Amino acid sequence: MLLLRRCHGLTRFGHVHIQRHHLPPAVLSHAARLCSTHDNTSHRHLSGFSWKHGLAGLLAGAGAVIAFGLHRHEAEHPAAAAAAQTAESSSSLPVFGQEEVSKHRSLSEGVWVTFRGGVYDITDFVAMHPGGEKILLAAGGALEPFWALYAVHNQEHVLEILSEYKVGELCAEDLKKQEPAESSDPYSTDPDRHPVLRVNSLKPFNAEPPPEILTDSYITPSAFFFKRNHLPVPQVDPASYQLQVEGLPGGAVTFSLEDLKTRFPKHDVTATVQCAGNRRSEMDREKQVKGLSWGISAISNAKWSGARLRDVLLAAGFGPDVAQWARHVHFEGLDKDVTGAAYGASIPLNKAVSEEGDVLLAYEMNGEKIPPDHGFPVRVVVPGVVGARSVKWVGKIAVSAEESSSHWQQYDYKGFPPGTDWNTVDYKSAPAIQELPVQSAITSPADGALIDSSDGFLTVKGYAWSGGGREVVRVDVSLDGGQTWQVAKLRSSDEAHEAPPPPGRAWAWKLWELTAPLPPPAQELEIICKAVDSSYNVQPETFPPIWNLRGLLSNAWHRVTVKIIEG
Amino acid sequence: MLLLRRCHGLTRFGHVHIQRHHLPPAVLSHAARLCSTHDNTSHRHLSGFSWKHGLAGLLAGAGAVIAFGLHRHEAEHPAAAAAAQTAESSSSLPVFGQEEVSKHRSLSEGVWVTFRGGVYDITDFVAMHPGGEKILLAAGGALEPFWALYAVHNQEHVLEILSEYKVGELCAEDLKKQEPAESSDPYSTDPDRHPVLRVNSLKPFNAEPPPEILTDSYITPSAFFFKRNHLPVPQVDPASYQLQVEGLPGGAVTFSLEDLKTRFPKHDVTATVQCAGNRRSEMDREKQVKGLSWGISAISNAKWSGARLRDVLLAAGFGPDVAQWARHVHFEGLDKDVTGAAYGASIPLNKAVSEEGDVLLAYEMNGEKIPPDHGFPVRVVVPGVVGARSVKWVGKIAVSAEESSSHWQQYDYKGFPPGTDWNTVDYKSAPAIQELPVQSAITSPADGALIDSSDGFLTVKGYAWSGGGREVVRVDVSLDGGQTWQVAKLRSSDEAHEAPPPPGRAWAWKLWELTAPLPPPAQELEIICKAVDSSYNVQPETFPPIWNLRGLLSNAWHRVTVKIIEG
């Protein structure tokens, strides 16, 4: 009965076979024990939960930190971890063959997985999985390749949770067959990275440059450009590379790298790319959010060169007739997970085909071939739009009446109100993030820095940028916690006499600097910056009113506190 | 010597003839008395003042309240008012002919004006004039027609100020000649207006509907649509109306109203128009600003119909060759001041000619010919952009490499940092406002309303809009001063099944509504709304960080406080 109640919350998926096989008494008693810790409150909580996508977008591809707080048994069974790790050892649990395990690949039939020789029925955990339904991809098979893909799982408390769902042992013969899967690391061919980068996640690789070097150059050197990978870096042979363009009259058309380089004019676009999670760590300090703990440097600026997407679409058959019904352009990366599912996203058609949209199929970054981490040999660059749409290693483009059904388009990279939590989130209620709001941050001095007062002046530096091609027109800096403001000097190019961008096409950030007298009696200063863009939009003052469960769009005023010391 | 020091601040205009004519001893002593009240502090203040444009944009055309606080003698000489008003009476001042007065039309030659038979040397006042250099238009002649145009001058303390600059009497014969000018009221042909409107200024006419009716219909009835006139409403004969288009190869082209209606496809665009000064009164409450005291209703929504500007420009000779050099499109109204100077503004070329810009030369408003107050027979409608660029009664359009040199483009309708005051403002430092930032307000309940608690629920209503075609995607409402937020229901059309606008072309507002339980123990509620647009830009929390001396772009969270009473 307790078990029945526990499963009640899952019935929306259809009929659930509660006793799908003969469970030994030990398992039943374990399930009963689990249930006994679920009082009515937590049961209601589970029932009200948006099961299907409630947690989607957290982990899978988004590289988020697993939301183990949602798992109600965390730390209740510390001894269980050891049990999972020694699954090979003898136990009283039944032994299953891979064939039996493979039958359990759905919520209705049960979701089983294997790990280090153990068999786990994780049906009830699916809804609590921070990575959402992506977990179903692993159903009926081994977890190892997935955990190799999403290395965030390799933590002791993850093993602890898993151990609670153990229902049996995998037979020795089938375990042996899995060995190759266990030993392969899909990240083994990832490129070397510069050691100065601050790593947020190794597998997939996510890292940002230290703020103190971020604004040392208007163009970010590629090695320091923030890296945001959702999957292993694919190995693409430029000689055999083919870009497929679909959805246009006349059927699919393919372009080689040589085609892109020779059949279309080469365009240069200096564009800043920002991750939707830039500055997440600050929002997280207000109230916990889920996601990689980015500092202020998940943003960088490069000169991209390549063919215009518009030109390629026109060559592939795009025309006014297509514009009648098409609304979106999809991009699919060559980076794939173990099931062969590729990273994907889409942008609105008008951005893709507008002469002023400046969307590139870039084959150069800062005048050189694009480095592996940034999309070699070809990536999309969608200026003014969240980085997640600038699909790297692009292999397929499709014109469509619908938005991409990709996980990253539908169940991630959306903004929600501060009152929405993981129990109430409805992904259909918010539009996919495209243009980003106005942003700025202080890169120097660092928070907590000691400032020598001997010369009487303080220099503050940073970056400012806005989405949608809206130029940053002003950055205000306060040395007194927002009581008074001074206007920073803006720098928009390395070349002093470069013409300003046309209205609505200011794709690149501005670096800014202010040198001001130190307020004489101050021992501590709260320095704040806030930017204004050409639509006179401004940054919000604080994080609570823009707080959202995924920690995206974190653009409140940036604040650093410094101590003044006598030199 | 004192007089010399007084004039020192003006020397940047070139050589100043301090003793341009023989002043009688009384005038010299009057000047000396004026100077004696100028201590060194105020002298420095004057020297540091941005003379030329420091106060421009306040009054002339902007319909602002005169900044008399800047005049240092306010209320120091209360008796002077009577003197000015009885200027016809005998005095010991010299008598001048109009010919002599007319010679004083510049800062170098002195700026003289006449008023009710008195002659005034206002050279020193020019820099302090809240309407800026527009005052020079009156130089050498009678003030009466200008004060009829800008009725804000008809206040006792304005006369007081003027009286201090009196230097003589106009000879009786020339005074008599002025009489027709005195009796003509340029506003005598202004149309009748609906009495429900809340009038901010009668001449020129500026008025807004009461908030409680503003959001009763998605389309604002034309009679209730806010009125924002800079000058008298011109009388335009639709049969002889001619729109002149200049700056294109082949020379000027003119179009009759019939041409616009028959030679070009008729387009309908539902677009919200908002004054840059909407909600100024709230910003003013934080710290005084200059301008008409708009409430929350200087915004309205209408269906506009007419020819696309793009089509008309193409017909007039616009093409890729022009796009090579042209950057702006200027509009000039048929509304003119007494000197014949017309209202003018410009928009960026790409907005004007883009297929997605939806800029109209509208001849219909809400399905009927445009009412006189809204631009009959033809006005520009620039969707997504500040109302000031949607030039009414448009008579001339010019394609140009430069922005309009119009006062309203260069010295008004710009945003400045909170630290900028009238002494430090540099109009060149800020871009002309085009796209407006995200905005929302609560239209019901009204601030201070008494709410009957008997049904236990409260309904809050309002509007939300953003510039640049960015759709409002969410409105958050708080009933507890911003501690918690609920999401309002949005309504984007009167017609339930109307297709959503394409991305970047959401020109019309959304009305919103939230019905929520009354917090049980509350006796008073602070209700707040804040909107989020499709670029995820948000409204700032408070006014001080966005405060600017003209009170523009006033889009902080809207707050109303209501009292709960038992029914």
Side-chain angles (χ1 to χ4, degrees), chain A residues 348 350 356 415-418 431 433 435-438 470 473-474 485 487 503 530 535-538 540-542 545 553 557, chain B residues 348 350 356 415-418 431 433 435-438 470 473-474 485 487 503 530 535-538 540-542 545 553 557:
Chain A
N350 63 342
E356 303 190 331
F416 293 99
I433 298 171
E435 292 182 2
L436 287 174
V438 58
R470 291 178 286 280
V473 300
R474 204 179 79 224
W485 299 92
V487 178
K530 64 182 176 80
S535 68
Y536 282 97
N537 271 305
V538 298
E541 201 166 325
T542 62
L553 307 155
W557 297 356
Chain B
N350 63 343
E356 302 189 333
F416 293 99
I433 299 170
E435 293 182 1
L436 288 173
V438 59
R470 292 180 285 281
V473 299
R474 204 179 79 224
W485 299 91
V487 178
K530 64 182 176 78
S535 67
Y536 283 97
N537 272 304
V538 298
E541 201 165 324
T542 62
L553 307 156
W557 296 356

Side-chain angles (χ1 to χ4, degrees), chain B residues 160-386:
Chain B
E160 257 177 56
I161 294 166
L162 181 66
S163 71
E164 296 182 9
Y165 295 94
K166 193 166 183 182
V167 293
E169 307 291 354
L170 188 64
C171 72
E173 194 181 341
D174 287 336
L175 175 60
K176 199 170 164 120
K177 287 183 194 159
Q178 283 188 355
E179 274 168 17
E182 282 183 49
S183 63
S184 75
D185 176 1
Y187 293 96
S188 61
T189 55
D190 262 22
D192 291 334
R193 280 94 179 196
H194 196 286
V196 79
L197 294 173
R198 293 180 180 177
V199 176
N200 283 318
S201 152
L202 264 174
K203 299 177 180 182
F205 191 73
N206 288 283
E208 64 188 301
E212 55 268 31
I213 67 168
L214 180 63
T215 52
D216 278 350
S217 58
Y218 184 72
I219 297 291
T220 316
S222 304
F224 300 154
F225 200 104
F226 84 99
K227 323 286 179 206
R228 203 281 172 252
N229 296 343
H230 295 85
L231 291 161
V233 174
Q235 304 291 300
V236 186
D237 172 18
S240 59
Y241 170 81
Q242 293 279 320
L243 174 66
Q244 186 160 337
V245 181
E246 299 180 349
L248 293 167
V253 184
T254 58
F255 298 92
S256 67
L257 178 57
E258 194 61 16
D259 288 337
L260 294 176
K261 288 183 175 178
T262 58
R263 288 181 50 191
F264 305 98
K266 181 178 174 182
H267 285 265
D268 296 334
V269 175
T270 299
T272 297
V273 179
Q274 183 181 212
C275 177
N278 189 31
R279 301 183 59 206
R280 177 182 284 131
S281 54
E282 291 163 75
M283 188 179 280
D284 185 68
R285 280 200 288 274
E286 294 287 341
K287 182 180 157 194
Q288 196 181 15
V289 298
K290 315 294 183 203
L292 288 170
S293 186
W294 293 109
I296 63 169
S297 304
I299 183 171
S300 302
N301 188 49
K303 187 179 92 171
W304 309 96
S305 309
R308 287 202 302 190
L309 174 61
R310 168 189 163 83
D311 295 341
V312 174
L313 290 176
L314 286 169
F318 179 82
D321 49 330
V322 179
Q324 293 297 310
W325 59 264
R327 293 293 174 269
H328 303 270
V329 176
H330 300 202
F331 308 120
E332 204 178 283
L334 294 167
D335 48 337
K336 293 184 165 64
D337 69 19
V338 283
T339 68
Y343 182 80
S346 66
I347 61 172
L349 179 75
N350 63 343
K351 175 69 179 173
V353 300
S354 162
E355 288 200 68
E356 302 189 333
D358 289 328
V359 180
L360 288 189
L361 298 174
Y363 44 76
E364 285 182 15
M365 178 182 188
N366 295 336
E368 298 181 331
K369 63 183 186 182
I370 293 186
D373 264 328
H374 295 287
F376 180 80
V378 179
R379 71 171 295 171
V380 186
V381 174
V382 189
V385 158
V386 62

Side-chain angles (χ1 to χ4, degrees), chain B residues 314 326 373 396 426 561:
Chain B
L314 286 169
D373 264 328
K396 200 194 286 186
D426 169 13
T561 302

Side-chain angles (χ1 to χ4, degrees), chain A residues 125-434:
Chain A
F125 178 69
V126 171
M128 288 180 283
H129 180 232
E133 62 180 10
K134 274 251 156 183
I135 199 173
L136 292 177
L137 294 171
L143 277 182
E144 283 84 347
F146 287 91
W147 286 17
L149 200 63
Y150 308 118
V152 68
H153 291 87
N154 297 321
Q155 300 178 62
E156 194 172 336
H157 60 298
V158 181
L159 293 171
E160 256 176 56
I161 294 166
L162 181 66
S163 71
E164 297 182 6
Y165 295 93
K166 191 166 185 183
V167 292
E169 308 290 355
L170 190 63
C171 71
E173 193 181 340
D174 289 336
L175 176 59
K176 198 169 167 129
K177 287 183 192 155
Q178 281 188 356
E179 272 167 17
E182 281 182 50
S183 62
S184 76
D185 176 1
Y187 294 95
S188 60
T189 54
D190 262 22
D192 291 335
R193 282 92 180 198
H194 197 286
V196 79
L197 294 173
R198 294 181 179 177
V199 176
N200 283 318
S201 152
L202 264 174
K203 299 177 181 183
F205 190 74
N206 287 283
E208 63 190 301
E212 55 269 32
I213 66 168
L214 180 63
T215 51
D216 278 350
S217 59
Y218 184 73
I219 297 289
T220 316
S222 304
F224 299 154
F225 200 103
F226 82 100
K227 322 285 179 208
R228 202 280 171 253
N229 296 343
H230 294 86
L231 293 159
V233 174
Q235 305 291 301
V236 186
D237 172 16
S240 60
Y241 170 81
Q242 293 279 320
L243 174 66
Q244 184 160 336
V245 181
E246 299 179 348
L248 292 168
V253 184
T254 58
F255 298 92
S256 68
L257 178 58
E258 194 62 16
D259 288 338
L260 293 177
K261 287 183 174 176
T262 58
R263 287 181 52 192
F264 304 98
K266 182 178 175 182
H267 285 265
D268 296 335
V269 175
T270 299
T272 297
V273 180
Q274 182 181 213
C275 177
N278 189 31
R279 301 184 58 206
R280 177 182 284 132
S281 54
E282 292 163 76
M283 189 179 281
D284 185 68
R285 279 200 289 274
E286 295 286 341
K287 182 180 156 193
Q288 196 182 14
V289 297
K290 313 295 183 202
L292 288 171
S293 188
W294 294 108
I296 63 169
S297 303
I299 183 170
S300 302
N301 188 48
K303 187 179 93 170
W304 309 95
S305 310
R308 286 201 304 190
L309 173 61
R310 169 189 163 83
D311 296 341
V312 174
L313 289 176
L314 286 169
F318 179 82
D321 49 329
V322 179
Q324 293 297 310
W325 58 265
R327 293 291 174 270
H328 302 270
V329 176
H330 299 204
F331 308 120
E332 205 177 282
L334 294 167
D335 48 337
K336 294 184 165 62
D337 68 19
V338 282
T339 69
Y343 181 80
S346 65
I347 61 171
L349 177 76
N350 63 342
K351 174 69 179 172
V353 300
S354 162
E355 288 201 68
E356 303 190 331
D358 290 326
V359 180
L360 287 189
L361 297 174
Y363 43 78
E364 283 181 16
M365 179 181 188
N366 295 336
E368 299 182 330
K369 63 181 185 181
I370 294 187
D373 263 328
H374 295 288
F376 180 81
V378 179
R379 72 171 295 172
V380 187
V381 174
V382 189
V385 158
V386 62
R389 314 299 172 214
S390 286
V391 174
K392 300 192 278 192
W393 317 287
V394 61
K396 199 195 288 185
I397 295 175
V399 176
S400 173
E402 307 298 330
E403 206 180 25
S404 168
S405 61
S406 151
H407 169 83
W408 298 275
Q409 193 80 17
Q410 298 299 330
Y411 305 112
D412 197 357
Y413 297 122
K414 295 190 170 194
F416 293 99
T420 295
D421 61 24
W422 293 106
N423 293 318
T424 57
V425 65
D426 170 13
Y427 278 91
K428 293 288 176 212
S429 70
I433 298 171
Q434 297 283 349

